[in-house]
Amino acid sequence: MTDSSTADRYQFLFENSADPMLIIEDGLFTECNQAALRMFGVKDKSEILNLHPSEISPEYQPDGQRSIDKSEAILARTPHEPYQRFEWTHLRPDGSLFPVEVALIALPGDKGPIVHTSLRDITTRKQLETENRHFQKMDAVGKLAGGIAHDFNNHLVPIIGYAELLVNHLGGDPKARKWAEEIHRTAQVSALMIGKILAVSRKEVGEPSTVEI
């Protein structure tokens, strides 16, 4: 197989790969495939070629580093670290951001390393990670609320009990008895609310039932 046919085959595989791929030489994109164009939402290679990676990125990456500084540091390491994998956030012309996992492979070239770059969109993975963190946070809040509700419920028990005793004891004083009944009623309502909080914190499934009032 001649060098020409090998190059033609590589070019065909590069152009038709389902994974977005780009080539970086001397800090600029010198080639990209059709999948990369689709990922960045552009129609022509001229919208990507001869750009620095930071030019299709937001000013700052999620870790707080400037894209220009971080990308320069990564490219500077390629002679000593020919294979690198990391996460990056890119920017489309319409202003939308999208996270990717980047794999760099540096190959020797006449004027310096030729960096083969492949990208993988990790938007869905990031969304799942965010949802999982939210679930863990809500689970922690639920446990905290359950602990507080449990303690509060323990305080309500004697309030309800003593209010019942007070209602029975104040039979001859209608006004005072009414006040005691109101304390008892309010405490019972509070106990029902606490019961709902405890049920949620314990992940209980409520079953509707008919109650004779």
Side-chain angles (χ1 to χ4, degrees), residues 32-110:
C32 66
N33 64 1
Q34 295 301 310
L37 297 183
R38 291 192 294 270
M39 172 176 277
F40 283 94
V42 297
K43 296 181 178 180
D44 192 86
K45 291 185 178 183
S46 62
E47 299 181 69
I48 292 180
L49 300 189
N50 296 315
L51 294 180
H52 189 274
S54 63
E55 294 183 86
I56 52 174
S57 306
E59 184 177 0
Y60 292 93
Q61 288 298 304
D63 61 4
Q65 295 187 62
R66 295 178 67 220
S67 293
I68 179 67
D69 297 333
K70 188 170 183 177
S71 57
E72 286 287 357
I74 291 171
L75 293 175
R77 291 199 300 268
T78 53
H80 314 290
E81 298 181 42
Y83 179 78
Q84 299 181 59
R85 185 181 292 272
F86 54 90
E87 292 184 4
W88 191 266
T89 297
H90 271 303
L91 176 68
R92 294 189 178 95
D94 63 6
S96 62
L97 301 175
F98 62 100
V100 295
E101 184 179 68
V102 183
L104 299 183
I105 300 178
L107 305 172
D110 295 335

Side-chain angles (χ1 to χ4, degrees), residues 38-193:
R38 291 192 294 270
M39 172 176 277
F40 283 94
V42 297
K43 296 181 178 180
D44 192 86
K45 291 185 178 183
S46 62
E47 299 181 69
I48 292 180
L49 300 189
N50 296 315
L51 294 180
H52 189 274
S54 63
E55 294 183 86
I56 52 174
S57 306
E59 184 177 0
Y60 292 93
Q61 288 298 304
D63 61 4
Q65 295 187 62
R66 295 178 67 220
S67 293
I68 179 67
D69 297 333
K70 188 170 183 177
S71 57
E72 286 287 357
I74 291 171
L75 293 175
R77 291 199 300 268
T78 53
H80 314 290
E81 298 181 42
Y83 179 78
Q84 299 181 59
R85 185 181 292 272
F86 54 90
E87 292 184 4
W88 191 266
T89 297
H90 271 303
L91 176 68
R92 294 189 178 95
D94 63 6
S96 62
L97 301 175
F98 62 100
V100 295
E101 184 179 68
V102 183
L104 299 183
I105 300 178
L107 305 172
D110 295 335
K111 298 180 181 180
I114 299 174
V115 183
H116 180 280
T117 307
S118 61
L119 308 179
R120 178 171 297 174
D121 193 318
I122 56 173
T123 300
T124 301
R125 190 180 83 188
K126 286 295 184 182
Q127 289 173 343
L128 291 175
E129 289 175 354
T130 300
E131 291 173 1
N132 184 55
R133 285 195 297 270
H134 179 70
F135 173 79
Q136 292 176 342
K137 184 184 296 183
M138 293 304 296
D139 186 57
V141 170
K143 290 178 179 177
L144 176 62
I148 295 173
H150 181 75
D151 291 340
F152 188 50
N153 191 57
N154 289 339
H155 291 295
L156 281 175
V157 171
I159 293 175
I160 293 173
Y162 283 118
E164 289 177 349
L165 293 174
L166 194 58
V167 168
N168 295 330
H169 183 71
L170 296 173
D173 189 339
K175 190 173 183 179
R177 180 185 174 90
K178 183 178 179 180
W179 292 340
E181 288 175 345
E182 186 62 23
I183 294 173
H184 183 259
R185 186 193 67 79
T186 304
Q188 285 188 316
V189 171
S190 300
L192 289 174
M193 293 173 60

